[in-house]
Short mmCIF file of all heavy atoms in Angstrom, two decimals:
data_model
loop_
_atom_site.label_atom_id
_atom_site.label_comp_id
_atom_site.label_asym_id
_atom_site.label_seq_id
_atom_site.Cartn_x
_atom_site.Cartn_y
_atom_site.Cartn_z
N LYS A 98 82.20 158.51 110.68
CA LYS A 98 83.17 159.55 110.70
C LYS A 98 84.00 159.50 112.03
O LYS A 98 85.04 160.12 112.02
CB LYS A 98 82.56 160.87 110.49
CG LYS A 98 82.01 161.09 109.05
CD LYS A 98 81.57 162.52 108.83
CE LYS A 98 81.10 162.67 107.36
NZ LYS A 98 80.67 164.10 107.07
N THR A 99 83.52 158.77 112.96
CA THR A 99 84.26 158.65 114.27
C THR A 99 85.37 157.61 114.26
O THR A 99 86.14 157.59 115.12
CB THR A 99 83.22 158.41 115.36
OG1 THR A 99 82.62 157.15 115.09
CG2 THR A 99 82.25 159.45 115.61
N TYR A 100 85.39 156.78 113.14
CA TYR A 100 86.33 155.69 113.07
C TYR A 100 87.78 156.23 112.96
O TYR A 100 88.03 157.22 112.28
CB TYR A 100 86.07 154.87 111.89
CG TYR A 100 85.26 153.62 112.15
CD1 TYR A 100 84.21 153.63 113.07
CD2 TYR A 100 85.44 152.44 111.47
CE1 TYR A 100 83.43 152.57 113.27
CE2 TYR A 100 84.61 151.31 111.61
CZ TYR A 100 83.70 151.38 112.61
OH TYR A 100 82.80 150.29 112.83
N THR A 101 88.73 155.60 113.65
CA THR A 101 90.17 155.80 113.52
C THR A 101 90.73 154.71 112.63
O THR A 101 90.00 153.72 112.30
CB THR A 101 90.87 155.78 114.86
OG1 THR A 101 90.76 154.39 115.41
CG2 THR A 101 90.29 156.81 115.88
N GLU A 102 91.97 154.84 112.20
CA GLU A 102 92.54 153.74 111.37
C GLU A 102 92.58 152.43 112.17
O GLU A 102 92.45 151.30 111.56
CB GLU A 102 93.91 154.24 110.93
CG GLU A 102 93.92 155.30 109.91
CD GLU A 102 95.28 155.63 109.39
OE1 GLU A 102 96.21 155.01 109.80
OE2 GLU A 102 95.42 156.57 108.56
N GLU A 103 92.79 152.55 113.45
CA GLU A 103 92.83 151.34 114.32
C GLU A 103 91.45 150.69 114.34
O GLU A 103 91.36 149.46 114.27
CB GLU A 103 93.25 151.67 115.74
CG GLU A 103 93.53 150.52 116.66
CD GLU A 103 94.50 149.56 116.04
OE1 GLU A 103 95.55 150.01 115.38
OE2 GLU A 103 94.35 148.28 116.13
N ASP A 104 90.33 151.50 114.41
CA ASP A 104 88.98 150.92 114.38
C ASP A 104 88.77 150.21 113.07
O ASP A 104 88.22 149.16 113.01
CB ASP A 104 87.96 152.11 114.48
CG ASP A 104 87.98 152.73 115.89
OD1 ASP A 104 88.31 151.99 116.83
OD2 ASP A 104 87.72 153.91 115.95
N LEU A 105 89.17 150.85 111.97
CA LEU A 105 89.06 150.25 110.62
C LEU A 105 89.74 148.95 110.53
O LEU A 105 89.29 147.94 110.06
CB LEU A 105 89.55 151.18 109.55
CG LEU A 105 89.42 150.84 108.11
CD1 LEU A 105 87.85 150.65 107.79
CD2 LEU A 105 89.95 151.95 107.20
N ARG A 106 91.01 148.88 111.00
CA ARG A 106 91.80 147.64 111.01
C ARG A 106 91.13 146.61 111.83
O ARG A 106 91.04 145.39 111.35
CB ARG A 106 93.16 147.92 111.53
CG ARG A 106 94.15 146.69 111.62
CD ARG A 106 95.51 147.07 112.05
NE ARG A 106 96.26 148.03 111.18
CZ ARG A 106 97.02 147.58 110.18
NH1 ARG A 106 97.13 146.26 109.98
NH2 ARG A 106 97.64 148.43 109.40
N GLU A 107 90.64 146.94 113.01
CA GLU A 107 89.98 145.92 113.81
C GLU A 107 88.74 145.36 113.21
O GLU A 107 88.54 144.11 113.33
CB GLU A 107 89.54 146.66 115.18
CG GLU A 107 89.03 145.73 116.25
CD GLU A 107 90.17 144.87 116.83
OE1 GLU A 107 91.35 145.26 116.72
OE2 GLU A 107 89.74 143.75 117.28
N LYS A 108 88.00 146.11 112.43
CA LYS A 108 86.78 145.61 111.72
C LYS A 108 87.08 144.65 110.60
O LYS A 108 86.32 143.69 110.32
CB LYS A 108 85.96 146.77 111.23
CG LYS A 108 85.19 147.55 112.32
CD LYS A 108 84.04 146.74 112.85
CE LYS A 108 83.24 147.50 113.95
NZ LYS A 108 82.09 146.60 114.44
N PHE A 109 88.27 144.83 109.93
CA PHE A 109 88.53 144.10 108.68
C PHE A 109 89.62 143.12 108.84
O PHE A 109 89.90 142.32 107.85
CB PHE A 109 88.77 145.08 107.51
CG PHE A 109 87.62 145.77 107.01
CD1 PHE A 109 87.01 146.92 107.57
CD2 PHE A 109 86.87 145.16 105.94
CE1 PHE A 109 85.87 147.43 107.08
CE2 PHE A 109 85.72 145.75 105.42
CZ PHE A 109 85.15 146.88 106.02
N LYS A 110 90.32 143.05 109.99
CA LYS A 110 91.40 142.01 110.13
C LYS A 110 90.90 140.58 110.11
O LYS A 110 91.75 139.74 109.85
CB LYS A 110 92.23 142.40 111.38
CG LYS A 110 91.48 142.08 112.71
CD LYS A 110 92.32 142.37 113.91
CE LYS A 110 91.65 142.03 115.20
NZ LYS A 110 92.50 142.31 116.40
N MET A 111 89.67 140.38 110.48
CA MET A 111 89.18 138.99 110.44
C MET A 111 89.14 138.33 109.05
O MET A 111 89.11 137.08 108.95
CB MET A 111 87.82 138.90 111.01
CG MET A 111 86.73 139.54 110.20
SD MET A 111 85.05 139.53 111.01
CE MET A 111 85.25 140.72 112.24
N TYR A 112 89.26 139.18 107.98
CA TYR A 112 89.18 138.54 106.58
C TYR A 112 90.55 138.32 106.04
O TYR A 112 90.67 137.73 104.94
CB TYR A 112 88.40 139.54 105.74
CG TYR A 112 87.04 139.98 106.28
CD1 TYR A 112 86.78 141.26 106.71
CD2 TYR A 112 86.06 138.97 106.44
CE1 TYR A 112 85.64 141.63 107.22
CE2 TYR A 112 84.90 139.34 107.04
CZ TYR A 112 84.67 140.65 107.37
OH TYR A 112 83.36 141.03 107.96
N GLY A 113 91.61 138.71 106.73
CA GLY A 113 92.95 138.47 106.16
C GLY A 113 94.02 139.35 106.72
O GLY A 113 93.74 140.23 107.56
N ASP A 114 95.19 139.25 106.14
CA ASP A 114 96.38 139.96 106.60
C ASP A 114 96.28 141.36 105.91
O ASP A 114 96.38 141.50 104.67
CB ASP A 114 97.66 139.29 106.28
CG ASP A 114 97.75 137.90 106.91
OD1 ASP A 114 97.38 137.85 108.10
OD2 ASP A 114 98.14 136.97 106.18
N ILE A 115 96.23 142.45 106.73
CA ILE A 115 96.14 143.74 106.23
C ILE A 115 97.50 144.46 106.11
O ILE A 115 98.32 144.33 107.03
CB ILE A 115 95.24 144.65 107.14
CG1 ILE A 115 93.80 144.05 107.11
CG2 ILE A 115 95.27 146.09 106.72
CD1 ILE A 115 92.88 144.74 108.10
N GLU A 116 97.72 144.98 104.92
CA GLU A 116 98.97 145.67 104.71
C GLU A 116 98.93 147.06 105.26
O GLU A 116 99.89 147.53 105.88
CB GLU A 116 99.35 145.68 103.16
CG GLU A 116 100.68 146.32 102.81
CD GLU A 116 101.08 146.12 101.40
OE1 GLU A 116 100.79 145.09 100.83
OE2 GLU A 116 101.62 147.13 100.90
N TYR A 117 97.85 147.77 105.01
CA TYR A 117 97.64 149.05 105.58
C TYR A 117 96.12 149.51 105.51
O TYR A 117 95.43 148.99 104.75
CB TYR A 117 98.51 150.21 104.86
CG TYR A 117 98.13 150.47 103.45
CD1 TYR A 117 97.03 151.31 103.15
CD2 TYR A 117 98.87 150.03 102.50
CE1 TYR A 117 96.76 151.63 101.83
CE2 TYR A 117 98.53 150.24 101.10
CZ TYR A 117 97.49 151.09 100.84
OH TYR A 117 97.13 151.39 99.55
N CYS A 118 95.79 150.49 106.36
CA CYS A 118 94.45 151.11 106.36
C CYS A 118 94.68 152.55 106.27
O CYS A 118 95.64 153.05 106.83
CB CYS A 118 93.67 150.73 107.72
SG CYS A 118 93.28 149.06 107.87
N SER A 119 93.74 153.27 105.68
CA SER A 119 93.89 154.80 105.58
C SER A 119 92.48 155.34 105.57
O SER A 119 91.61 154.72 105.00
CB SER A 119 94.70 155.18 104.41
OG SER A 119 94.09 154.83 103.21
N ILE A 120 92.34 156.45 106.27
CA ILE A 120 91.08 157.14 106.34
C ILE A 120 91.11 158.42 105.48
O ILE A 120 92.15 159.13 105.63
CB ILE A 120 90.60 157.42 107.66
CG1 ILE A 120 90.29 156.07 108.45
CG2 ILE A 120 89.39 158.37 107.79
CD1 ILE A 120 89.99 156.26 109.89
N ILE A 121 90.17 158.62 104.63
CA ILE A 121 90.24 159.90 103.77
C ILE A 121 89.70 161.07 104.60
O ILE A 121 88.58 161.00 105.17
CB ILE A 121 89.30 159.69 102.51
CG1 ILE A 121 89.89 158.54 101.75
CG2 ILE A 121 89.31 160.98 101.71
CD1 ILE A 121 88.97 157.91 100.73
N LYS A 122 90.49 162.18 104.64
CA LYS A 122 90.16 163.29 105.51
C LYS A 122 90.00 164.56 104.64
O LYS A 122 90.58 164.72 103.59
CB LYS A 122 91.20 163.47 106.60
CG LYS A 122 91.27 162.29 107.51
CD LYS A 122 92.39 162.54 108.54
CE LYS A 122 92.42 161.38 109.58
NZ LYS A 122 93.45 161.48 110.62
N ASN A 123 89.22 165.47 105.15
CA ASN A 123 89.02 166.79 104.55
C ASN A 123 90.41 167.55 104.70
O ASN A 123 90.95 167.65 105.77
CB ASN A 123 87.91 167.58 105.27
CG ASN A 123 87.70 168.87 104.58
OD1 ASN A 123 88.51 169.79 104.50
ND2 ASN A 123 86.45 169.01 104.17
N LYS A 124 90.89 167.99 103.50
CA LYS A 124 92.25 168.62 103.51
C LYS A 124 92.30 169.88 104.37
O LYS A 124 93.33 170.30 104.81
CB LYS A 124 92.64 168.86 102.08
CG LYS A 124 92.89 167.65 101.25
CD LYS A 124 93.29 167.91 99.82
CE LYS A 124 93.50 166.62 99.05
NZ LYS A 124 93.85 166.98 97.63
N THR A 125 91.19 170.58 104.45
CA THR A 125 91.14 171.81 105.19
C THR A 125 90.94 171.67 106.64
O THR A 125 91.64 172.24 107.50
CB THR A 125 89.96 172.68 104.60
OG1 THR A 125 90.13 172.85 103.23
CG2 THR A 125 89.99 174.17 105.32
N THR A 126 89.95 170.83 107.08
CA THR A 126 89.62 170.62 108.49
C THR A 126 90.24 169.46 109.16
O THR A 126 90.42 169.41 110.28
CB THR A 126 88.14 170.48 108.62
OG1 THR A 126 87.64 169.25 108.05
CG2 THR A 126 87.37 171.68 108.02
N GLY A 127 90.72 168.50 108.35
CA GLY A 127 91.39 167.33 108.92
C GLY A 127 90.37 166.32 109.41
O GLY A 127 90.75 165.26 110.00
N GLU A 128 89.07 166.62 109.22
CA GLU A 128 87.99 165.65 109.65
C GLU A 128 87.74 164.53 108.73
O GLU A 128 87.98 164.72 107.51
CB GLU A 128 86.71 166.40 109.86
CG GLU A 128 86.76 167.48 111.01
CD GLU A 128 85.44 168.18 111.18
OE1 GLU A 128 84.54 167.99 110.29
OE2 GLU A 128 85.32 168.92 112.15
N SER A 129 87.43 163.42 109.22
CA SER A 129 87.20 162.22 108.37
C SER A 129 85.95 162.48 107.41
O SER A 129 85.01 163.09 107.86
CB SER A 129 86.87 160.97 109.25
OG SER A 129 86.38 159.90 108.44
N LYS A 130 86.06 161.96 106.18
CA LYS A 130 84.98 162.12 105.24
C LYS A 130 84.03 160.90 105.37
O LYS A 130 82.99 160.82 104.63
CB LYS A 130 85.49 162.21 103.79
CG LYS A 130 86.20 163.45 103.46
CD LYS A 130 86.63 163.48 101.97
CE LYS A 130 87.14 164.83 101.50
NZ LYS A 130 87.47 164.82 100.12
N GLY A 131 84.42 159.91 106.23
CA GLY A 131 83.59 158.78 106.39
C GLY A 131 83.84 157.74 105.29
O GLY A 131 82.99 156.88 104.94
N LEU A 132 85.09 157.76 104.70
CA LEU A 132 85.45 156.83 103.69
C LEU A 132 86.92 156.38 104.03
O LEU A 132 87.71 157.10 104.56
CB LEU A 132 85.48 157.53 102.34
CG LEU A 132 84.13 158.02 101.86
CD1 LEU A 132 84.30 158.98 100.64
CD2 LEU A 132 83.16 156.93 101.47
N GLY A 133 87.17 155.18 103.52
CA GLY A 133 88.58 154.62 103.84
C GLY A 133 89.00 153.55 102.89
O GLY A 133 88.18 152.98 102.15
N TYR A 134 90.27 153.24 102.94
CA TYR A 134 90.89 152.13 102.11
C TYR A 134 91.42 151.14 103.04
O TYR A 134 91.94 151.39 104.15
CB TYR A 134 92.09 152.67 101.33
CG TYR A 134 91.68 153.61 100.16
CD1 TYR A 134 91.74 154.98 100.27
CD2 TYR A 134 91.19 153.11 98.91
CE1 TYR A 134 91.46 155.79 99.25
CE2 TYR A 134 90.91 153.89 97.88
CZ TYR A 134 91.03 155.25 98.07
OH TYR A 134 90.71 156.13 96.96
N VAL A 135 91.30 149.83 102.66
CA VAL A 135 91.98 148.71 103.36
C VAL A 135 92.68 147.90 102.24
O VAL A 135 92.08 147.50 101.28
CB VAL A 135 90.93 147.77 104.10
CG1 VAL A 135 91.64 146.65 104.78
CG2 VAL A 135 90.14 148.60 105.08
N ARG A 136 94.01 147.70 102.44
CA ARG A 136 94.68 146.93 101.49
C ARG A 136 95.18 145.60 102.12
O ARG A 136 95.82 145.61 103.23
CB ARG A 136 95.89 147.62 100.95
CG ARG A 136 96.58 146.63 99.92
CD ARG A 136 97.57 147.38 99.05
NE ARG A 136 98.19 146.48 98.04
CZ ARG A 136 99.18 146.81 97.20
NH1 ARG A 136 99.75 147.95 97.22
NH2 ARG A 136 99.57 145.93 96.32
N TYR A 137 94.84 144.47 101.53
CA TYR A 137 95.18 143.13 102.00
C TYR A 137 96.43 142.61 101.20
O TYR A 137 96.82 143.19 100.21
CB TYR A 137 94.09 142.17 101.81
CG TYR A 137 92.95 142.41 102.75
CD1 TYR A 137 91.86 143.22 102.29
CD2 TYR A 137 92.89 141.85 103.97
CE1 TYR A 137 90.75 143.42 103.19
CE2 TYR A 137 91.82 142.12 104.90
CZ TYR A 137 90.73 142.87 104.44
OH TYR A 137 89.74 143.10 105.26
N LEU A 138 97.10 141.56 101.81
CA LEU A 138 98.26 140.98 101.17
C LEU A 138 97.80 140.03 100.01
O LEU A 138 98.63 139.92 98.99
CB LEU A 138 99.06 140.13 102.19
CG LEU A 138 99.69 140.91 103.30
CD1 LEU A 138 100.46 140.02 104.25
CD2 LEU A 138 100.69 142.00 102.76
N LYS A 139 96.62 139.56 100.01
CA LYS A 139 96.20 138.62 98.93
C LYS A 139 94.85 139.06 98.33
O LYS A 139 93.95 139.51 99.10
CB LYS A 139 96.08 137.18 99.47
CG LYS A 139 97.40 136.60 99.96
CD LYS A 139 97.11 135.22 100.54
CE LYS A 139 98.38 134.54 101.12
NZ LYS A 139 98.14 133.21 101.62
#
């Protein structure tokens, strides 16, 4: 839950070209839910 989008990108950029990363957050508190998306180009 401490990960930022930059942390997520850093962990997964070794596997290919990343189009975007996003972290799912609680709509009320704005805190991370500990889940995220990574989209690659291929």
Side-chain angles (χ1 to χ4, degrees):
K98 290 188 176 182
T99 56
Y100 265 35
T101 64
E102 290 184 3
E103 189 57 39
D104 293 329
L105 185 57
R106 179 181 294 273
E107 189 66 27
K108 285 289 184 181
F109 283 87
K110 69 180 183 180
M111 68 180 73
Y112 307 114
D114 300 316
I115 294 175
E116 185 171 319
Y117 67 78
C118 296
S119 62
I120 292 176
I121 299 163
K122 298 180 179 180
N123 185 298
K124 294 178 180 178
T125 305
T126 66
E128 294 179 351
S129 168
K130 288 186 177 182
L132 301 167
Y134 291 98
V135 180
R136 182 169 183 183
Y137 289 93
L138 293 179
K139 298 179 181 179

